[in-house]
Each structure stands twice: as structure tokens, then as C-alpha cells.
Amino acid sequence: MTASDPATVRTARRSLIIWLAACAAGAGLVLLAAGRTWATAAFGPEQGRIGAGRVDLTGGDLVAWLTPAALAALAALAAVLAARGVVRRMIGVVIALFGVAIIAGAWDGTRAPTIAAAAREHITTAVVSSSGFATTASQVWPGAAAAGGLILLAGGVTAAIRAGHWPGMSGKYDRPGGGGRTPGGPGGGERTGERAMWDALDEGVDPTSS
């Protein structure tokens, strides 16, 4: 990609924006699903009824790392913007690993042993006596979490492969306020030279090499 190819630059920026939006949506979906009820345990003399003998278990109750993994993935998205080169690709791999962990957590959260263990943590031993408890599980929110994890997995793999073609953020946010760093006098000529230099840096081209 060169500074003289604006169409390629626009395409790369559009690809980065789409990638960011998709990954942010995937992480947001996981956060939403983690706060919803995945299973219900009914116990004791109230077994099977709605009341004191019922406890609702959210995705976060069943899978402790679900919410932290989604939040870490969101933080990694910002890191992709700030990083370049190999570091950016490595962050993409990390995002993919977060996606794998979330998918595994969504599967684990639907398993009967996981639900039973979480229910025991929320029900006192005095209440769970002879009658034990019964559990019912939903597939909707675990499926939503798994879908979010799949989006993050795909996004991480995409970043690991294509991150080198995406522009960075330094050209937009680290630009100095003053002029005078490029040849030329005051006025339009100096502004044009400064903009060309920062555009070249944003596109990965060294403006001093020529």
C-alpha cells in the first residue's frame, strides 16, 4: 500500500472499521448473554414451583471467566488500533483465543454437572436436604454467547492475517499542532506538505526515504 493509492487506503480503513464494529458487537453479545439466566434450580419442599425454593443462574454464575474474557477482548480491540506490525498480529491471536475460551465456556455452562455445582453454591445445605433439586437449562443465551465467541474467533484470525494492511491511529491522533516541520513557507504550501507527510506515515510509508 502506498501513499499514491488512495483507493487502497480507503478500502483498508473501511475494512478496519467493519472489523472493529463486528468484534465489538461480538463482545457486547457475550456481555449481554452472561448477565441473562441460563438455568434454574428448584429445590426442597418448593421443588418445581416459583418462590423461595428457586434460584436463577446467569451465565456469569455458571462460567466465571465469561465476562472477563469479553471485557479483555474489548480492550484488545483498542490495542490493535495503537499497535503495528507483528505486535498487532499477536493481539489478533489473543483475541482469537478469547473467542475460543468464550465458546468453550458457553458449552460448559449448559452441562448438567456445571449447573448442579453452581446451584449448590447458591443454595444452603440446610435447604438442600432429602428432596434435592431439579434443574432446567435454556439454550438461547448460551447460544448467543457462543455466537459472540465465534465472531471474536473469526475477528482474531482476520486480524492476525490482515492487520498489516490496516492503517494505524498515530497519523490521526499524534499529529503536532504546529507547522514548520516540513519544507516550505507559511500558507497553503506548508499545510499541504504537512498533510502529505502524515498521510504517508498513516499508510506505513517513510516520507524521508525519498
Side-chain angles (χ1 to χ4, degrees):
M1 180 169 58
T2 65
S4 60
D5 191 359
T8 302
V9 174
R10 286 194 299 270
T11 300
R13 287 176 177 169
R14 188 180 303 113
S15 173
L16 176 58
I17 291 172
I18 293 173
W19 177 84
L20 283 172
C23 289
L29 185 59
V30 176
L31 291 174
L32 175 65
R36 296 299 186 270
T37 299
W38 287 23
T40 298
F43 54 88
E46 298 288 338
Q47 183 172 343
R49 302 178 186 175
I50 298 177
R54 167 176 167 162
V55 61
D56 293 327
L57 302 171
T58 67
D61 294 330
L62 294 166
V63 186
W65 70 84
L66 206 61
T67 296
L71 292 174
L74 284 175
L77 297 183
V80 166
L81 292 178
R84 288 183 179 275
V86 176
V87 175
R88 179 180 272 187
R89 295 179 187 274
M90 291 175 62
I91 296 172
V93 173
V94 171
I95 293 173
L97 292 177
F98 284 137
V100 172
I102 290 169
I103 294 171
W107 170 78
D108 186 53
T110 61
R111 296 172 60 242
T114 302
I115 297 173
R120 290 190 180 94
E121 291 179 0
H122 289 76
I123 301 172
T124 64
T125 305
V127 173
V128 182
S129 55
S130 58
S131 59
F133 59 89
T135 61
T136 56
S138 168
Q139 299 297 324
V140 176
W141 293 114
L150 185 60
I151 292 173
L152 290 173
L153 172 59
V157 172
T158 300
I161 296 173
R162 296 191 52 82
H165 301 282
W166 292 339
M169 64 183 290
S170 59
K172 294 181 180 180
Y173 299 102
D174 297 336
R175 184 178 302 178
R181 291 198 177 188
T182 57
E190 180 179 349
R191 289 194 298 271
T192 302
E194 181 184 2
R195 179 172 181 178
M197 180 185 72
W198 287 107
D199 284 347
L201 288 174
D202 191 31
E203 294 155 9
V205 178
D206 184 0
T208 65
S209 61
S210 56

